[in-house]
Amino acid sequence: TGFQTWALPIYGRYFGNTIPGIFFDEIFANNSKMGDNLFWTDDFLQAFKRIKGYDLAERLPLIVFDDPEQSAKTRFDYFDVVRHLYIRAWFKPYADWCACHGIWATGHTTEKLVHYKRQSDYFSTMGLLQVPGGDNEDYRYGYPRMIDWYNSKQISSIANLYDRKRVMSEAMGGGGYTIPLEEYRYGFAMLAAYGINLFVPHLFHYTTDSPPSQADWPPSWFYSNPYWKYFKPLADFGRRLSFMNAQGREVCDVAILYPLTDLWLGGNPDQVDDTFYKEVQQILLDHHINFNIIDPTSLARASIRDRCITAGKGQYRILILPDIHSVQLDVLEKIENFVLAGGTVIALKSLPDRK
């Protein structure tokens, strides 16, 4: 309401042309440090009882402490309600407002498995945006500089599952002021190889006359940078990649089930071990086998046609379960129907049980 009061009369005429969309950066549904923080609102207990039909108050310790009989249901219902409330409070109204005003919504939260403790369900929330987005921080922390696949493959998977034409990556910040433009060209190319077709180079300072602006993950890509006069050829390269990646449909036969149910049933642990989950993906990439990550909600909603799982723009002939222990009943039924239709399911380390 406040934005509509003062900003729309000034900027509204630029929506859809000069201002194609709005970007948000690293939002969380709870404290950014996570720790032992729980999702909560003033009316959470009432909302939980309305949605799930029972009182959470007496079971609340089970979010943290284990109980062989009651923890699984309580934790699943808790995170499911969090997802419901978070979508209703932020992602859906935000995306709906942007759609109503002829612009798109994009941005990113945080992408690791453990970050379900920040937003409950990464896929269902980010999938509501017109342009799902991720962060890619690889140039900040290492040399030689490499674009890692993890964040990019997740967010491009979401774009496929939720039928979005564009998928964004904020990337290549923090390389310093001596980074060659050829390394940036490589960065654009690798992001595109992982499915990105809207690039947000980090970042463009209007001025660099203060210590914070000079030190905020340099360089600034703007006119204060000696490379600025060469930026247009680099931008044109990114534009061509964006155009090509936005055409047609990605050919991808393999889907990997996102272990969301296992994460939710784990409650609120200090750490989450994603080693094997990442190793499976790395092996596929090493053998030049493309894949998408599929979340349980998308799998449950998918259709089975011609021995393929069809979800959004994706069509998958093979489903990989990487050490999945628990799935919802509707997901288990969809997996069974896929097998009966002639599809291939590969379960690694464990077979899931329904919860």
Side-chain angles (χ1 to χ4, degrees):
T1 302
F3 181 85
Q4 293 175 334
T5 301
W6 66 268
L8 275 180
I10 301 173
Y11 299 108
R13 66 182 182 273
Y14 300 113
F15 282 5
N17 42 74
T18 305
I19 303 176
I22 298 178
F23 175 96
F24 64 79
D25 191 63
E26 294 185 12
I27 62 167
F28 314 128
N30 58 9
N31 190 291
S32 63
K33 295 184 182 300
M34 294 190 298
D36 292 328
N37 293 314
L38 297 177
F39 298 101
W40 203 253
T41 64
D42 291 342
D43 63 343
F44 191 87
L45 288 177
Q46 294 91 327
F48 185 96
K49 189 169 185 178
R50 183 178 69 252
I51 296 169
K52 295 298 180 181
Y54 66 93
D55 188 3
L56 176 65
E58 61 185 21
R59 297 189 182 186
L60 192 58
L62 298 178
I63 306 303
V64 177
F65 299 106
D66 292 325
D67 180 273
E69 295 184 0
Q70 299 190 67
S71 289
K73 175 175 173 52
T74 303
R75 291 172 179 178
F76 185 93
D77 288 347
Y78 169 76
F79 285 107
D80 191 39
V81 170
V82 171
R83 168 173 56 187
H84 173 85
L85 296 180
Y86 197 18
I87 287 174
R88 189 184 70 179
W90 168 252
F91 282 91
K92 190 175 190 308
Y94 176 64
D96 287 351
W97 189 93
C98 288
C100 181
H101 291 83
I103 57 178
W104 37 256
T106 191
H108 73 87
T109 58
T110 45
E111 294 88 357
K112 295 179 181 178
L113 284 185
V114 71
H115 292 152
Y116 76 95
K117 296 196 293 182
R118 284 179 169 169
Q119 69 187 91
S120 176
D121 184 344
Y122 179 68
F123 280 67
S124 293
T125 49
M126 295 300 293
L128 290 172
L129 303 180
Q130 286 86 355
V131 180
D135 199 2
N136 198 301
E137 301 174 325
D138 302 311
Y139 275 25
R140 297 183 182 184
Y141 304 124
Y143 188 83
R145 296 184 178 93
M146 299 175 63
I147 295 294
D148 186 64
W149 44 265
Y150 188 92
N151 291 358
S152 300
K153 286 299 291 180
Q154 277 197 144
I155 202 65
S156 64
S157 297
I158 290 174
N160 282 330
L161 293 169
Y162 290 83
D163 203 11
R164 305 306 188 196
K165 182 176 182 179
R166 293 286 179 181
V167 55
M168 180 277 299
S169 180
E170 177 191 1
M172 296 182 289
Y177 281 99
T178 59
I179 181 172
L181 289 177
E182 183 63 26
E183 292 193 13
Y184 282 137
R185 181 181 180 277
Y186 156 80
F188 278 121
M190 288 310 303
L191 288 169
Y194 297 139
I196 303 301
N197 60 24
L198 194 156
F199 305 102
V200 178
H202 184 286
L203 51 72
F204 289 77
H205 277 300
Y206 284 103
T207 65
T208 54
D209 57 358
S210 65
S213 64
Q214 293 174 15
D216 183 20
W217 304 113
S220 166
W221 294 59
F222 210 14
Y223 60 83
S224 57
N225 192 313
Y227 289 148
W228 173 245
K229 59 184 176 181
Y230 304 113
F231 180 75
K232 188 178 186 306
L234 181 64
D236 286 343
F237 176 70
R239 180 173 61 178
R240 292 193 297 271
L241 292 174
S242 297
F243 175 79
M244 290 188 294
N245 262 13
Q247 309 308 306
R249 181 182 64 83
E250 179 186 22
V251 176
C252 180
D253 291 330
V254 179
I256 300 175
L257 182 60
Y258 189 72
L260 183 64
T261 304
D262 281 353
L263 296 173
W264 282 7
L265 299 191
N268 204 51
D270 293 332
Q271 296 181 347
V272 170
D273 186 0
D274 63 353
T275 304
F276 185 73
Y277 175 72
K278 296 173 71 172
E279 285 177 349
V280 171
Q281 297 174 58
Q282 185 65 65
I283 290 171
L284 292 174
L285 289 173
D286 289 344
H287 288 80
H288 306 290
I289 299 173
N290 192 19
F291 65 87
N292 277 183
I293 309 298
I294 186 169
D295 59 303
T297 299
S298 295
L299 182 53
R301 293 174 179 172
S303 60
I304 308 298
R305 293 197 299 267
D306 299 325
R307 294 188 296 177
C308 287
I309 296 170
T310 300
K313 295 187 291 184
Q315 293 182 345
Y316 310 106
R317 296 187 302 108
I318 299 171
L319 177 66
I320 297 178
L321 311 178
D323 199 19
I324 302 290
H325 298 90
S326 303
V327 295
Q328 301 154 235
L329 180 58
D330 54 356
V331 173
L332 190 62
E333 290 174 346
K334 190 57 59 75
I335 294 173
E336 181 181 12
N337 292 337
F338 178 52
V339 172
L340 292 175
T344 300
V345 175
I346 302 173
L348 302 173
K349 277 196 170 185
S350 63
L351 286 171
D353 186 14
R354 72 176 181 88
K355 293 295 181 181

